[in-house]
Amino acid sequence: MSAHRIMFWQIEYTWLFYLLSAIAVLLFLIGAGSHIWVWKKNSKSMSLKGVGHALNKMCIDIITGRRLIRGDMAAGLMHFLIFWGFFLLFIGTCVLVAHEHLFEFLEGARYLWFSVLMEIGGISLLVGIIWGLVRRYLQRVPRLERRAEDAILPLWFVLMVLSGFFLEGARLAANSPQWADWSFVGNWIAGLIPAAAAERLYPSFWWVHALLCLGFISVVCYSKMFHILSAPASIFFSSASPVLPPSIEDETGRLDVAEAVFYDGCMRCGRCVAACPSSGAGEAYAPRDFVQWARKQMWQTQFPLNDIRLWNRGDYEGTNESMWYCTTCRACLEVCPVYGAAFEAVAKERRQAVEKGTLVPTILNQTLEKLFRYDNPWESSKKQRGAWAEGLDIADLTKRGAVTDLCYFVGCTTSFDDRARSIAHSFTKILQLTGVNFGILGKKEPCCGDIARRVGEFGLFEEQKEKCKTLFDQYGITEIATSSPHCYHTLANDYPDSSFRARHYTMVLKELLKNKKLSFEKPLNVTVTYHDPCYLGRHNRIFNEPRDVIRAIPGLRLVEMEHSRENSLCCGGGGGRMWQDLKGERKMSEVRLEEAEATGAQILITACPMCLIMMEDARKAAGTREGFRVMDLNELLLEALENK
Amino acid sequence: MTELNIIICVKQIPDPEAPLSDVSIDAENLEVVVDAPQVISPFDENALEAAIQLKEELDGKVTVLSMGKKLSDSVLRKALAAGADELILLEDNGFEKLDSHSTATVLAAAIKKIGSFDLVLAGRQAGDWDSGQVGLILGEMLGLPCISLAREITVEDGSVIVKKTVPEGYERVKAKLPALITVSNEVGELRYISRTRMLKMMRGGDIPAWTAEEIGVSDDAIEKMNIASLTTPPDMTRDCQFLEGSPDQQAAALVDVFVSLR
Ligand code: SF4
Ligand code: SF4
């Protein structure tokens, strides 16, 4: 007789099983349908593009778990085991159903292979789940939470797998078929069960296993397990229908489909919390909690039956303050398995707060007023804007007859802050030394609107954008170099259909280097480390240009910090945080400064006025090694050029 | 009493946040020239916030009054954007550089013309001249109980209970409505008015403007502020020295500084 399995062996009341199965599937479908219904409500702006690419990315992410492994090897492998174990068992069960109801094919060698794969699946799932429990409850990995469902669901899995193995063991013990060796786990368990009891125990094991599995199917859509479906969906939509920048006409509170799916796809893994500089500095904020809060809000306001989740319904109260912590540094998006941007959720909330008005913190309120009246967030006057350039023989493009190849967009912080002004001084000096024909907009230079955009004041952002565009058009400006990565990001990404090309100064310097315009006479024997500004690195992927320029200085040694490039740690100044007085246990800038010092470097180099101010302040406040300096890349470069 | 009828008086002034370099003195014409955009005086914004919060809590109506020779709609409509129901401008060629008493006379006349109200609010003082007179004189003219320097305002059973700032802390003062209250900054900053909200308000209907004649104020009832002379304040440059070295050296250096100042 060839190897096979008798379906429903010894089982009575199979109709009851089918009835319960139908109920479980129905519950599953209702849950899944509810999610889709909510997603659909938020799909007004959906426009699918690059579907093939998105599907491809989704499949590779799911099958290989590459994003999970890359971010955290242990967690990635754990998930790999669980995923493949679960997947094999799921497919196996479907195969069994097909075998029973469609056509019989599980016999002989095919059945034996099937048995082996199911054994592997079970073991893999069990090992993965237990590993997960160890990580969460014994190792107590900081980014993991320990809520009710975090215990219930894994234990449920353990019971499902164990009951499955015992059921198999009882069947093998009772029948002892000659192919039992292939089911190596089941056969081992069979050895533990006396043959006489096996036949009696079998139906009980069977029902326990069946009920556990059906129960699981019923709760999938009502717990974090829904990520089985929503995580792939989120990966897909994040790439096929990315979150659109909000337009002023939008009613506030509208979500894009990618956001809605992301909120449901977040399984609270906490990777974002581990990456977030605000959480890391001990501030009262965690991106995961914010996303969960946004998810709850979405369900409460959009679904007639309130939140669909069985667990964690009441928690994650958002406070009025929590939305102001985020520096929009993008670190969370870099690590989120489902490509969710917590800072976009924050931006949505900020926008509503700004429209409402009462929840805007005082300093920010004053800053926005100032920005509106004086085109800058720093000073209640426009007059001093170009003052740094007095006597430097720099062309003012707003004056008659001035025509240049490059417009240097100085930016508010560089124009007004005492420390940051040195960026303008050194950069323009370098441009002069290398013979670049450039000019500035002087007193007339407006704010690009970055701050307004990041804190959710979209109306003001639009006004600033119009001011800039009009001015650029009026003076025929087509090439722009900015001091600040923030201005660069805003001009390059938030001004659609613009008639100019904006670059950050690091890109200009790199070009000068390439064209052999920069030459150094003497070596500069120092060790430096470079801090990637969030809006240059993570947001715009400019990682190499500044490093190339730094490395071009002879004699200099560049060492990297523990967090660099896409993993760089935010200085704490972006996203409007410069104009907030929120506090944590530590300052983000001090955390970063410590890392910089730990490299043994003598100089910390940055390429952003905000970073420069933040790190310089941290240096003064926290105190560093004697002689440790914080410098802008331009300052370093000028020092090297003038080193004769 | 369920609904509350609030009148609030606001003054349009050049932004008091303007740096000193943008302020100059025209000694000849006895004028302070401030090269800065016009805004609502900060304490009046506090009063406005207080008024709107009361309205949100109890329902009612907030009417904003502002007096001047030439007022800017785009500045004052901010009050409407913040949540006030009505804005009335008191505009007349004669309403220029009035002294506190005359200002109160004009405002009193306008308030009488409006007729019914429960509360009159004003900022504790204007951000330009900082006299702090108009509110209390106005209360006197209207024959109302006045409470100054309010940091918290609650209304219950036909009375108003005000926490009033005093040097030691605060006093709780109760008065029967109608009453006049001058508001201090502790009540809180005016909520942020988004540009979208402001622009929507700018497209709103016409704002009524009443002249002196319409509110029955004759020329001889008001007087201009009489400035005897105006001078630039002495240059107050500050100097900051860092004393370096060990604590002992720093202490010694500090002693030297003190000695040299004697
Ligand atoms: S953008 Fe940065 S600060 Fe904001 S939530 Fe993400 S990691 Fe945290
Ligand atoms: S937002 Fe992303 S990274 Fe953060 S907990 Fe949710 S799934 Fe994990």
Side-chain angles (χ1 to χ4, degrees), chain A residues 63-176:
Chain A
I63 291 169
T64 63
R66 57 183 175 179
R67 200 162 161 88
L68 301 174
I69 294 174
R70 202 184 305 136
D72 181 338
M73 182 64 100
L77 289 179
M78 176 212 83
H79 187 269
F80 189 86
L81 290 175
I82 297 175
F83 170 77
W84 276 105
F86 182 85
F87 194 62
L88 283 176
L89 294 172
F90 175 72
I91 297 290
T93 312
C94 295
V95 166
L96 275 183
V97 172
H99 170 79
E100 170 73 4
H101 295 286
L102 300 176
F103 56 99
E104 301 194 349
F105 57 95
L106 278 182
E107 267 172 35
R110 268 199 295 266
Y111 179 70
L112 294 178
W113 276 113
F114 170 79
S115 297
V116 170
L117 283 175
M118 294 299 268
E119 300 290 294
I120 294 175
I123 294 277
S124 160
L125 179 55
L126 196 60
V127 171
I129 290 286
I130 291 174
W131 190 357
L133 284 166
V134 167
R135 281 172 53 79
R136 195 180 293 267
Y137 292 97
L138 296 180
Q139 261 176 282
R140 300 181 89 80
V141 173
R143 68 173 161 92
L144 300 176
E145 291 185 294
R146 283 169 287 277
R147 293 173 178 270
E149 69 172 345
D150 300 328
I152 295 171
L153 292 167
L155 289 175
W156 198 320
F157 265 112
V158 169
L159 291 177
M160 275 197 288
V161 179
L162 288 182
S163 63
F165 277 136
F166 271 87
L167 148 75
E168 186 187 34
R171 181 165 48 81
L172 296 177
N175 296 345
S176 25

Side-chain angles (χ1 to χ4, degrees), chain A residues 469-490:
Chain A
K469 281 177 125 180
T470 314
L471 201 72
F472 296 156
D473 285 345
Q474 186 180 350
Y475 297 106
I477 287 160
T478 52
E479 280 291 331
I480 294 172
T482 72
S483 320
S484 173
H486 298 266
C487 304
Y488 160 58
H489 176 84
T490 307

Side-chain angles (χ1 to χ4, degrees), chain B:
Chain B
M1 192 194 68
T2 46
E3 298 213 330
L4 205 62
N5 215 333
I6 307 175
I7 295 178
I8 133 154
C9 308
V10 307
K11 182 174 184 184
Q12 178 186 319
I13 61 171
D15 190 352
E17 290 284 309
L20 219 50
S21 55
D22 290 353
V23 182
S24 58
I25 300 279
D26 180 350
E28 210 165 298
N29 296 315
L30 297 174
E31 236 177 297
V32 182
V33 185
V34 187
D35 186 6
Q38 298 283 310
V39 298
I40 296 177
S41 172
F43 291 117
D44 297 349
E45 287 202 344
N46 298 134
L48 184 57
E49 179 63 31
I52 292 160
Q53 282 181 18
L54 282 172
K55 176 191 145 182
E56 282 172 347
E57 190 188 329
L58 302 164
D59 272 349
K61 185 177 174 196
V62 174
T63 307
V64 180
L65 280 183
S66 188
M67 180 210 82
K69 181 181 169 194
K70 214 177 154 346
L71 292 169
S72 160
D73 212 55
S74 57
V75 171
L76 294 165
R77 273 185 206 245
K78 184 177 180 188
L80 294 175
D85 302 273
E86 199 178 0
L87 169 64
I88 301 170
L89 306 181
L90 310 176
E91 256 180 329
D92 198 290
N93 277 337
F95 294 167
E96 195 191 14
K97 294 187 197 144
L98 296 190
D99 65 14
S100 300
H101 190 273
S102 306
T103 307
T105 308
V106 175
L107 291 171
I111 291 172
K112 281 185 191 135
K113 178 168 165 152
I114 293 172
S116 73
F117 60 89
D118 303 300
L119 260 184
V120 179
L121 297 186
R124 58 181 279 184
Q125 66 207 51
D128 50 359
W129 288 97
D130 284 322
S131 318
Q133 302 291 312
V134 173
L136 298 178
I137 301 174
L138 177 61
E140 181 67 27
M141 286 178 172
L142 294 169
L144 297 177
C146 293
I147 307 172
S148 61
L149 305 178
R151 60 190 298 161
E152 201 181 300
I153 306 171
T154 34
V155 170
E156 32 183 75
D157 309 327
S159 303
V160 59
I161 299 161
V162 173
K163 281 189 185 169
K164 166 186 163 68
T165 301
V166 291
E168 298 78 22
Y170 65 84
E171 292 171 353
R172 281 184 67 202
V173 185
K174 189 170 176 179
K176 277 237 153 332
L177 292 180
L180 182 140
I181 300 168
T182 75
V183 179
S184 185
N185 52 316
E186 291 92 342
V187 300
E189 183 127 5
L190 178 62
R191 59 198 59 195
Y192 182 69
I193 312 297
S194 78
R195 290 301 300 153
T196 8
R197 191 126 67 103
M198 193 64 204
L199 291 180
K200 223 177 270 165
M201 239 355 120
M202 292 309 291
R203 289 194 291 265
D206 285 345
I207 304 292
W210 295 347
T211 59
E213 200 186 318
E214 281 168 303
I215 51 176
V217 175
S218 63
D219 272 357
D220 24 303
I222 52 180
E223 247 178 87
K224 297 239 181 289
M225 191 160 39
N226 189 2
I227 300 174
S229 79
L230 210 52
T231 51
T232 317
D235 191 12
M236 304 233 285
T237 43
R238 275 166 296 186
D239 185 23
C240 178
Q241 292 177 27
F242 286 97
L243 303 178
E244 312 265 348
S246 68
D248 282 346
Q249 289 165 331
Q250 288 181 22
L254 189 59
V255 170
D256 288 344
V257 173
F258 285 152
V259 169
S260 74
L261 290 176
R262 230 194 342 222

